[in-house]
Amino acid sequence: MTSEFILVKGARQNNLKGLNLRLPLNELIVITGVSGSGKSSLAFDTIYSEGQRRYVETFSPYARQFLDRMDKPRTDRIEGIPPAIAIDQTNPVRTSRSTVGTMTELNDHIKLLYARAARLFCRGCGKPIRKDSSESIYKDLLEKTKTTRQSSEAAPRLMITFRVSIPDNFTEEEITGFLNRQGYTRVQKIGQRMLEVVQDRVRFRSGQRGRIIEALEAALERGRGSIEVHVLDDVGASQVSWPFSTEHRCPDCDIRYKEPNPSNFSFNSPIGACESCRGFGRTMGIDYSLVIPDETRTLAEGAVKPW
C-alpha cells in the first residue's frame, strides 16, 4: 500500500483490456480519449467504484444495509485508493444555490468542522477570544507572574475583583449596603453606574492554590462571568490588571460574541450568507452611469439614454 499514487493492475471493466497505470494522488488528472475508449469505465466503474466500495466496507453490517453498495470492478488489484466521491455531469440538481459542496453533501461536514475548530478573534483589538474558567485563569496567572516570582523573593500580591452595575432604580448607597451585608466591605466606584468589588487579596504562592481557585470561582459567579486580577505593589496600589471572562467576550473591548455554529458558515442560511449577495455569489442592480451617460444634460437634451 502506497500513499503517493493509486496503482491499477489489469483493469478489464467494460472496454478496458488489461490496463495498468499509476495515478498520483493530490493532483488534478484529466482522462481523454475517443468515444468508447473506456474513459468512464476507468473513472467511474473502476476507480470510483473501488474507492466507494472499500469506504462502505468500513461501516458496520447494520449501517451498510442503508447505503448503496458498488460492485467490485474487474481488475487484478487496486492499491493506494482513498475514499472516493463522483460528480456526474448529468446531475439533475439545477438550482441557483447548488454547488459541488452541496451536491456531494461535503458542505454539511465542512460547516460542522469550521464551527468546532474555528478560532474567534476580537473585531476591536484582534486578540483571540476564549472562554475562561477558574482553572484556566490560575494557569494563566502562573505564566503571567513567572517573571515576577523569579525576580523577587516575595510572592506577588494579587487582588481579585469583579464589577457590579448599579440598576437605575437603586442608588449607589443601597447597592453598597447590600454588598456590605454579604461581607464585601472593600468597594470602590469606577464609573457613573459601576462598582468594583474586591473578592480577595492573596499572595500568589503554591500553597495558596485552593484559596485562589475558590476566590476566582466566587468572583466569576458574583461578576456574571467577568473578573479582573490586579498585581499590587508594596503600598497596595494596582500595577497591572488582567481581565478574564467565562463567555465569548473580549474583556478588553467588552464586546460579546455568540457561540459559533454551523449556520455561521453556510451561504444558505441568513446568519452566514453575505449581506450583499445573500449567498448567491452575485448581485443585481442598476448601473446609473449607463442609464445617464452625461449628467450635465437635462432630460430634454437627452440625459437618459434611450433603449
Side-chain angles (χ1 to χ4, degrees):
M1 181 73 68
T2 178
S3 59
E4 298 179 357
F5 55 84
I6 301 173
L7 176 64
V8 180
K9 300 286 283 186
R12 301 180 302 277
Q13 191 71 26
N14 299 332
N15 294 341
L16 301 178
K17 306 299 181 181
L19 182 65
N20 300 327
L21 74 160
R22 297 198 309 177
L23 301 173
L25 295 174
N26 303 317
E27 293 187 12
L28 179 63
I29 301 174
V30 179
I31 304 175
T32 63
V34 298
S35 178
S37 60
K39 302 185 297 299
S40 298
S41 298
L42 175 62
F44 291 101
D45 299 330
T46 302
I47 299 174
Y48 165 68
S49 178
E50 181 65 10
Q52 181 71 356
R53 187 187 67 83
R54 293 187 184 183
Y55 176 64
V56 173
E57 289 296 327
T58 61
F59 292 94
S60 64
Y62 176 78
R64 288 201 298 267
Q65 66 179 331
F66 301 103
L67 301 174
D68 294 333
R69 303 185 66 178
M70 307 293 292
D71 295 331
K72 182 176 177 61
R74 297 178 59 193
T75 59
D76 291 340
R77 72 175 188 273
I78 299 179
E79 298 179 358
I81 188 167
I85 294 175
I87 304 174
D88 197 337
Q89 62 181 352
T90 59
N91 196 299
V93 180
R94 297 183 182 275
T95 68
S96 57
R97 290 184 177 271
S98 296
T99 65
V100 174
T102 57
M103 289 189 293
T104 59
E105 298 182 0
L106 281 176
N107 199 46
D108 298 332
H109 301 282
I110 293 175
K111 291 186 298 183
L112 183 60
L113 173 64
Y114 284 168
R116 296 294 180 265
R119 295 183 60 193
L120 178 63
F121 292 85
C122 177
R123 65 172 182 265
C125 61
K127 294 182 180 179
I129 305 298
R130 70 175 188 181
K131 298 175 67 173
D132 292 308
S133 64
S134 57
E135 291 290 343
S136 66
I137 295 174
Y138 183 82
K139 293 179 181 179
D140 202 9
L141 292 176
L142 282 175
E143 186 66 24
K144 289 179 180 294
T145 59
K146 182 186 299 183
T147 304
T148 306
R149 287 185 280 112
Q150 290 177 350
S151 60
S152 177
E153 295 182 359
R157 295 177 60 198
L158 300 183
M159 181 174 67
I160 302 171
T161 66
F162 60 91
R163 296 186 178 185
V164 175
S165 59
I166 303 175
D168 295 335
N169 56 340
F170 285 88
T171 64
E172 179 182 342
E173 290 74 17
E174 289 176 325
I175 298 300
T176 304
F178 293 153
L179 292 171
N180 289 339
R181 287 192 290 272
Q182 295 179 25
Y184 296 102
T185 57
R186 289 172 289 189
V187 180
Q188 59 179 342
K189 186 175 181 179
I190 60 173
Q192 185 67 25
R193 307 287 295 178
M194 187 69 65
L195 300 175
E196 185 173 26
V197 184
V198 178
Q199 175 68 41
D200 198 1
R201 296 188 184 187
V202 60
R203 289 280 184 183
F204 196 67
R205 299 189 180 95
S206 57
Q208 298 283 1
R209 183 183 183 280
R211 175 180 173 181
I212 295 173
I213 292 291
E214 183 179 357
L216 292 173
E217 291 177 348
L220 288 172
E221 182 180 357
R222 300 292 191 279
R224 296 184 177 181
S226 299
I227 65 171
E228 285 196 24
V229 179
H230 303 263
V231 179
L232 306 179
D233 56 17
D234 295 336
V235 297
S238 176
Q239 293 180 311
V240 63
S241 63
W242 300 305
F244 299 95
S245 176
T246 59
E247 301 176 347
H248 275 94
R249 168 182 171 271
C250 178
D252 296 323
C253 304
D254 197 23
I255 301 177
R256 284 178 168 81
Y257 299 91
K258 294 182 178 180
E259 187 88 17
N261 63 78
S263 297
N264 294 119
F265 306 95
S266 172
F267 59 88
N268 284 325
S269 170
I271 301 176
C274 171
E275 296 181 357
S276 299
C277 69
R278 300 299 180 185
F280 282 97
R282 62 183 183 275
T283 58
M284 298 181 63
I286 300 175
D287 189 346
Y288 291 100
S289 64
L290 298 178
V291 179
I292 309 176
D294 190 352
E295 297 181 357
T296 61
R297 295 183 180 184
T298 65
L299 291 176
E301 294 172 344
V304 178
K305 187 175 182 179
W307 292 103

PDB file of all heavy atoms in Angstrom, residues 198-223:
ATOM      1  N   VAL A 198     -13.889  44.030  45.705  1.00  0.00           N
ATOM      2  CA  VAL A 198     -12.722  43.192  45.969  1.00  0.00           C
ATOM      3  C   VAL A 198     -13.190  41.864  46.551  1.00  0.00           C
ATOM      4  O   VAL A 198     -13.819  41.837  47.617  1.00  0.00           O
ATOM      5  CB  VAL A 198     -11.736  43.892  46.915  1.00  0.00           C
ATOM      6  CG1 VAL A 198     -10.546  42.963  47.212  1.00  0.00           C
ATOM      7  CG2 VAL A 198     -11.249  45.204  46.325  1.00  0.00           C
ATOM      8  N   GLN A 199     -12.885  40.775  45.850  1.00  0.00           N
ATOM      9  CA  GLN A 199     -13.223  39.445  46.349  1.00  0.00           C
ATOM     10  C   GLN A 199     -12.193  38.953  47.346  1.00  0.00           C
ATOM     11  O   GLN A 199     -12.538  38.426  48.406  1.00  0.00           O
ATOM     12  CB  GLN A 199     -13.316  38.461  45.176  1.00  0.00           C
ATOM     13  CG  GLN A 199     -13.546  37.012  45.580  1.00  0.00           C
ATOM     14  CD  GLN A 199     -14.915  36.808  46.181  1.00  0.00           C
ATOM     15  OE1 GLN A 199     -15.902  37.355  45.714  1.00  0.00           O
ATOM     16  NE2 GLN A 199     -14.992  36.014  47.254  1.00  0.00           N
ATOM     17  N   ASP A 200     -10.898  39.143  47.017  1.00  0.00           N
ATOM     18  CA  ASP A 200      -9.850  38.663  47.920  1.00  0.00           C
ATOM     19  C   ASP A 200      -8.523  39.294  47.533  1.00  0.00           C
ATOM     20  O   ASP A 200      -8.313  39.690  46.368  1.00  0.00           O
ATOM     21  CB  ASP A 200      -9.734  37.139  47.844  1.00  0.00           C
ATOM     22  CG  ASP A 200      -8.996  36.555  49.044  1.00  0.00           C
ATOM     23  OD1 ASP A 200      -8.595  37.343  49.926  1.00  0.00           O
ATOM     24  OD2 ASP A 200      -8.817  35.322  49.080  1.00  0.00           O
ATOM     25  N   ARG A 201      -7.641  39.390  48.525  1.00  0.00           N
ATOM     26  CA  ARG A 201      -6.244  39.773  48.310  1.00  0.00           C
ATOM     27  C   ARG A 201      -5.390  38.640  48.859  1.00  0.00           C
ATOM     28  O   ARG A 201      -5.564  38.226  50.000  1.00  0.00           O
ATOM     29  CB  ARG A 201      -5.898  41.089  49.024  1.00  0.00           C
ATOM     30  CG  ARG A 201      -6.653  42.302  48.500  1.00  0.00           C
ATOM     31  CD  ARG A 201      -6.100  43.573  49.114  1.00  0.00           C
ATOM     32  NE  ARG A 201      -6.854  44.746  48.701  1.00  0.00           N
ATOM     33  CZ  ARG A 201      -6.504  45.999  48.991  1.00  0.00           C
ATOM     34  NH1 ARG A 201      -5.410  46.212  49.698  1.00  0.00           N
ATOM     35  NH2 ARG A 201      -7.237  47.010  48.569  1.00  0.00           N
ATOM     36  N   VAL A 202      -4.454  38.164  48.035  1.00  0.00           N
ATOM     37  CA  VAL A 202      -3.724  36.972  48.426  1.00  0.00           C
ATOM     38  C   VAL A 202      -2.333  36.989  47.790  1.00  0.00           C
ATOM     39  O   VAL A 202      -2.137  37.559  46.712  1.00  0.00           O
ATOM     40  CB  VAL A 202      -4.494  35.704  47.992  1.00  0.00           C
ATOM     41  CG1 VAL A 202      -4.684  35.661  46.493  1.00  0.00           C
ATOM     42  CG2 VAL A 202      -3.836  34.446  48.493  1.00  0.00           C
ATOM     43  N   ARG A 203      -1.376  36.387  48.509  1.00  0.00           N
ATOM     44  CA  ARG A 203      -0.048  36.163  47.948  1.00  0.00           C
ATOM     45  C   ARG A 203      -0.113  34.971  46.998  1.00  0.00           C
ATOM     46  O   ARG A 203      -0.695  33.942  47.325  1.00  0.00           O
ATOM     47  CB  ARG A 203       0.974  35.877  49.055  1.00  0.00           C
ATOM     48  CG  ARG A 203       1.325  37.079  49.910  1.00  0.00           C
ATOM     49  CD  ARG A 203       2.320  37.978  49.220  1.00  0.00           C
ATOM     50  NE  ARG A 203       2.742  39.078  50.073  1.00  0.00           N
ATOM     51  CZ  ARG A 203       3.569  40.052  49.676  1.00  0.00           C
ATOM     52  NH1 ARG A 203       4.053  40.033  48.428  1.00  0.00           N
ATOM     53  NH2 ARG A 203       3.908  41.024  50.489  1.00  0.00           N
ATOM     54  N   PHE A 204       0.500  35.134  45.844  1.00  0.00           N
ATOM     55  CA  PHE A 204       0.421  34.072  44.834  1.00  0.00           C
ATOM     56  C   PHE A 204       1.522  33.046  45.096  1.00  0.00           C
ATOM     57  O   PHE A 204       2.545  33.009  44.440  1.00  0.00           O
ATOM     58  CB  PHE A 204       0.548  34.673  43.433  1.00  0.00           C
ATOM     59  CG  PHE A 204       0.101  33.731  42.345  1.00  0.00           C
ATOM     60  CD1 PHE A 204      -1.219  33.356  42.235  1.00  0.00           C
ATOM     61  CD2 PHE A 204       0.997  33.219  41.436  1.00  0.00           C
ATOM     62  CE1 PHE A 204      -1.645  32.496  41.243  1.00  0.00           C
ATOM     63  CE2 PHE A 204       0.598  32.359  40.437  1.00  0.00           C
ATOM     64  CZ  PHE A 204      -0.730  31.991  40.352  1.00  0.00           C
ATOM     65  N   ARG A 205       1.252  32.172  46.082  1.00  0.00           N
ATOM     66  CA  ARG A 205       2.163  31.085  46.411  1.00  0.00           C
ATOM     67  C   ARG A 205       1.510  29.750  46.037  1.00  0.00           C
ATOM     68  O   ARG A 205       0.298  29.655  45.898  1.00  0.00           O
ATOM     69  CB  ARG A 205       2.493  31.081  47.906  1.00  0.00           C
ATOM     70  CG  ARG A 205       3.185  32.350  48.414  1.00  0.00           C
ATOM     71  CD  ARG A 205       3.651  32.126  49.842  1.00  0.00           C
ATOM     72  NE  ARG A 205       4.323  33.280  50.396  1.00  0.00           N
ATOM     73  CZ  ARG A 205       3.725  34.210  51.148  1.00  0.00           C
ATOM     74  NH1 ARG A 205       2.427  34.070  51.429  1.00  0.00           N
ATOM     75  NH2 ARG A 205       4.387  35.232  51.624  1.00  0.00           N
ATOM     76  N   SER A 206       2.349  28.737  45.897  1.00  0.00           N
ATOM     77  CA  SER A 206       1.844  27.412  45.539  1.00  0.00           C
ATOM     78  C   SER A 206       0.919  26.861  46.619  1.00  0.00           C
ATOM     79  O   SER A 206      -0.029  26.129  46.339  1.00  0.00           O
ATOM     80  CB  SER A 206       3.007  26.448  45.300  1.00  0.00           C
ATOM     81  OG  SER A 206       3.840  26.375  46.460  1.00  0.00           O
ATOM     82  N   GLY A 207       1.179  27.199  47.892  1.00  0.00           N
ATOM     83  CA  GLY A 207       0.337  26.704  48.968  1.00  0.00           C
ATOM     84  C   GLY A 207      -1.025  27.369  49.032  1.00  0.00           C
ATOM     85  O   GLY A 207      -1.900  26.917  49.779  1.00  0.00           O
ATOM     86  N   GLN A 208      -1.215  28.458  48.292  1.00  0.00           N
ATOM     87  CA  GLN A 208      -2.479  29.181  48.306  1.00  0.00           C
ATOM     88  C   GLN A 208      -3.377  28.809  47.135  1.00  0.00           C
ATOM     89  O   GLN A 208      -4.368  29.496  46.876  1.00  0.00           O
ATOM     90  CB  GLN A 208      -2.184  30.698  48.256  1.00  0.00           C
ATOM     91  CG  GLN A 208      -1.397  31.229  49.426  1.00  0.00           C
ATOM     92  CD  GLN A 208      -2.266  31.374  50.670  1.00  0.00           C
ATOM     93  OE1 GLN A 208      -3.449  31.058  50.643  1.00  0.00           O
ATOM     94  NE2 GLN A 208      -1.685  31.835  51.755  1.00  0.00           N
ATOM     95  N   ARG A 209      -3.072  27.723  46.439  1.00  0.00           N
ATOM     96  CA  ARG A 209      -3.828  27.387  45.237  1.00  0.00           C
ATOM     97  C   ARG A 209      -5.316  27.207  45.528  1.00  0.00           C
ATOM     98  O   ARG A 209      -6.179  27.719  44.803  1.00  0.00           O
ATOM     99  CB  ARG A 209      -3.265  26.108  44.608  1.00  0.00           C
ATOM    100  CG  ARG A 209      -3.957  25.725  43.308  1.00  0.00           C
ATOM    101  CD  ARG A 209      -3.420  24.417  42.740  1.00  0.00           C
ATOM    102  NE  ARG A 209      -4.046  24.096  41.465  1.00  0.00           N
ATOM    103  CZ  ARG A 209      -5.245  23.540  41.335  1.00  0.00           C
ATOM    104  NH1 ARG A 209      -5.922  23.213  42.428  1.00  0.00           N
ATOM    105  NH2 ARG A 209      -5.752  23.306  40.136  1.00  0.00           N
ATOM    106  N   GLY A 210      -5.646  26.478  46.586  1.00  0.00           N
ATOM    107  CA  GLY A 210      -7.050  26.245  46.909  1.00  0.00           C
ATOM    108  C   GLY A 210      -7.793  27.535  47.201  1.00  0.00           C
ATOM    109  O   GLY A 210      -8.932  27.721  46.745  1.00  0.00           O
ATOM    110  N   ARG A 211      -7.157  28.436  47.933  1.00  0.00           N
ATOM    111  CA  ARG A 211      -7.796  29.709  48.260  1.00  0.00           C
ATOM    112  C   ARG A 211      -7.988  30.560  47.006  1.00  0.00           C
ATOM    113  O   ARG A 211      -9.035  31.197  46.840  1.00  0.00           O
ATOM    114  CB  ARG A 211      -6.955  30.464  49.286  1.00  0.00           C
ATOM    115  CG  ARG A 211      -7.479  31.852  49.607  1.00  0.00           C
ATOM    116  CD  ARG A 211      -6.602  32.548  50.622  1.00  0.00           C
ATOM    117  NE  ARG A 211      -7.002  33.941  50.803  1.00  0.00           N
ATOM    118  CZ  ARG A 211      -6.385  34.798  51.639  1.00  0.00           C
ATOM    119  NH1 ARG A 211      -5.349  34.377  52.374  1.00  0.00           N
ATOM    120  NH2 ARG A 211      -6.809  36.037  51.743  1.00  0.00           N
ATOM    121  N   ILE A 212      -6.995  30.558  46.128  1.00  0.00           N
ATOM    122  CA  ILE A 212      -7.087  31.363  44.909  1.00  0.00           C
ATOM    123  C   ILE A 212      -8.181  30.829  43.988  1.00  0.00           C
ATOM    124  O   ILE A 212      -8.976  31.594  43.432  1.00  0.00           O
ATOM    125  CB  ILE A 212      -5.722  31.392  44.190  1.00  0.00           C
ATOM    126  CG1 ILE A 212      -4.682  32.107  45.057  1.00  0.00           C
ATOM    127  CG2 ILE A 212      -5.835  32.078  42.840  1.00  0.00           C
ATOM    128  CD1 ILE A 212      -3.272  32.032  44.512  1.00  0.00           C
ATOM    129  N   ILE A 213      -8.238  29.507  43.829  1.00  0.00           N
ATOM    130  CA  ILE A 213      -9.276  28.907  42.986  1.00  0.00           C
ATOM    131  C   ILE A 213     -10.662  29.234  43.543  1.00  0.00           C
ATOM    132  O   ILE A 213     -11.589  29.574  42.794  1.00  0.00           O
ATOM    133  CB  ILE A 213      -9.082  27.388  42.880  1.00  0.00           C
ATOM    134  CG1 ILE A 213      -7.805  27.060  42.092  1.00  0.00           C
ATOM    135  CG2 ILE A 213     -10.290  26.734  42.239  1.00  0.00           C
ATOM    136  CD1 ILE A 213      -7.870  27.400  40.629  1.00  0.00           C
ATOM    137  N   GLU A 214     -10.810  29.147  44.865  1.00  0.00           N
ATOM    138  CA  GLU A 214     -12.101  29.445  45.486  1.00  0.00           C
ATOM    139  C   GLU A 214     -12.487  30.906  45.279  1.00  0.00           C
ATOM    140  O   GLU A 214     -13.657  31.230  44.997  1.00  0.00           O
ATOM    141  CB  GLU A 214     -12.037  29.125  46.980  1.00  0.00           C
ATOM    142  CG  GLU A 214     -13.354  29.341  47.712  1.00  0.00           C
ATOM    143  CD  GLU A 214     -13.260  29.001  49.183  1.00  0.00           C
ATOM    144  OE1 GLU A 214     -12.190  28.537  49.619  1.00  0.00           O
ATOM    145  OE2 GLU A 214     -14.267  29.209  49.896  1.00  0.00           O
ATOM    146  N   ALA A 215     -11.509  31.816  45.407  1.00  0.00           N
ATOM    147  CA  ALA A 215     -11.794  33.240  45.203  1.00  0.00           C
ATOM    148  C   ALA A 215     -12.160  33.523  43.749  1.00  0.00           C
ATOM    149  O   ALA A 215     -13.055  34.328  43.470  1.00  0.00           O
ATOM    150  CB  ALA A 215     -10.577  34.074  45.619  1.00  0.00           C
ATOM    151  N   LEU A 216     -11.475  32.864  42.809  1.00  0.00           N
ATOM    152  CA  LEU A 216     -11.786  33.052  41.391  1.00  0.00           C
ATOM    153  C   LEU A 216     -13.195  32.575  41.064  1.00  0.00           C
ATOM    154  O   LEU A 216     -13.948  33.250  40.349  1.00  0.00           O
ATOM    155  CB  LEU A 216     -10.763  32.314  40.529  1.00  0.00           C
ATOM    156  CG  LEU A 216      -9.333  32.860  40.531  1.00  0.00           C
ATOM    157  CD1 LEU A 216      -8.412  31.925  39.764  1.00  0.00           C
ATOM    158  CD2 LEU A 216      -9.280  34.257  39.927  1.00  0.00           C
ATOM    159  N   GLU A 217     -13.582  31.419  41.605  1.00  0.00           N
ATOM    160  CA  GLU A 217     -14.920  30.888  41.343  1.00  0.00           C
ATOM    161  C   GLU A 217     -15.994  31.804  41.921  1.00  0.00           C
ATOM    162  O   GLU A 217     -17.022  32.065  41.270  1.00  0.00           O
ATOM    163  CB  GLU A 217     -15.039  29.485  41.923  1.00  0.00           C
ATOM    164  CG  GLU A 217     -14.190  28.447  41.202  1.00  0.00           C
ATOM    165  CD  GLU A 217     -14.275  27.076  41.845  1.00  0.00           C
ATOM    166  OE1 GLU A 217     -14.810  26.999  42.975  1.00  0.00           O
ATOM    167  OE2 GLU A 217     -13.808  26.091  41.228  1.00  0.00           O
ATOM    168  N   ALA A 218     -15.771  32.308  43.130  1.00  0.00           N
ATOM    169  CA  ALA A 218     -16.757  33.199  43.745  1.00  0.00           C
ATOM    170  C   ALA A 218     -16.862  34.512  42.978  1.00  0.00           C
ATOM    171  O   ALA A 218     -17.964  35.038  42.768  1.00  0.00           O
ATOM    172  CB  ALA A 218     -16.377  33.466  45.207  1.00  0.00           C
ATOM    173  N   ALA A 219     -15.731  35.062  42.553  1.00  0.00           N
ATOM    174  CA  ALA A 219     -15.749  36.319  41.801  1.00  0.00           C
ATOM    175  C   ALA A 219     -16.423  36.143  40.448  1.00  0.00           C
ATOM    176  O   ALA A 219     -17.173  37.018  39.989  1.00  0.00           O
ATOM    177  CB  ALA A 219     -14.322  36.839  41.626  1.00  0.00           C
ATOM    178  N   LEU A 220     -16.182  35.010  39.780  1.00  0.00           N
ATOM    179  CA  LEU A 220     -16.831  34.756  38.493  1.00  0.00           C
ATOM    180  C   LEU A 220     -18.345  34.642  38.652  1.00  0.00           C
ATOM    181  O   LEU A 220     -19.110  35.091  37.794  1.00  0.00           O
ATOM    182  CB  LEU A 220     -16.262  33.475  37.872  1.00  0.00           C
ATOM    183  CG  LEU A 220     -14.838  33.564  37.325  1.00  0.00           C
ATOM    184  CD1 LEU A 220     -14.335  32.180  36.932  1.00  0.00           C
ATOM    185  CD2 LEU A 220     -14.759  34.509  36.128  1.00  0.00           C
ATOM    186  N   GLU A 221     -18.777  34.049  39.761  1.00  0.00           N
ATOM    187  CA  GLU A 221     -20.225  33.912  39.997  1.00  0.00           C
ATOM    188  C   GLU A 221     -20.852  35.269  40.290  1.00  0.00           C
ATOM    189  O   GLU A 221     -21.905  35.602  39.742  1.00  0.00           O
ATOM    190  CB  GLU A 221     -20.463  32.955  41.158  1.00  0.00           C
ATOM    191  CG  GLU A 221     -21.937  32.726  41.447  1.00  0.00           C
ATOM    192  CD  GLU A 221     -22.157  31.764  42.615  1.00  0.00           C
ATOM    193  OE1 GLU A 221     -21.160  31.254  43.147  1.00  0.00           O
ATOM    194  OE2 GLU A 221     -23.324  31.550  42.979  1.00  0.00           O
ATOM    195  N   ARG A 222     -20.206  36.065  41.158  1.00  0.00           N
ATOM    196  CA  ARG A 222     -20.760  37.385  41.507  1.00  0.00           C
ATOM    197  C   ARG A 222     -20.647  38.364  40.338  1.00  0.00           C
ATOM    198  O   ARG A 222     -21.528  39.194  40.145  1.00  0.00           O
ATOM    199  CB  ARG A 222     -20.014  37.965  42.712  1.00  0.00           C
ATOM    200  CG  ARG A 222     -20.074  37.136  43.979  1.00  0.00           C
ATOM    201  CD  ARG A 222     -21.468  37.092  44.581  1.00  0.00           C
ATOM    202  NE  ARG A 222     -21.473  36.525  45.913  1.00  0.00           N
ATOM    203  CZ  ARG A 222     -21.449  35.226  46.186  1.00  0.00           C
ATOM    204  NH1 ARG A 222     -21.388  34.360  45.205  1.00  0.00           N
ATOM    205  NH2 ARG A 222     -21.473  34.788  47.430  1.00  0.00           N
ATOM    206  N   GLY A 223     -19.595  38.240  39.547  1.00  0.00           N
ATOM    207  CA  GLY A 223     -19.387  39.167  38.438  1.00  0.00           C
ATOM    208  C   GLY A 223     -19.996  38.716  37.134  1.00  0.00           C
ATOM    209  O   GLY A 223     -19.661  39.286  36.080  1.00  0.00           O
TER     210      GLY A 223
END
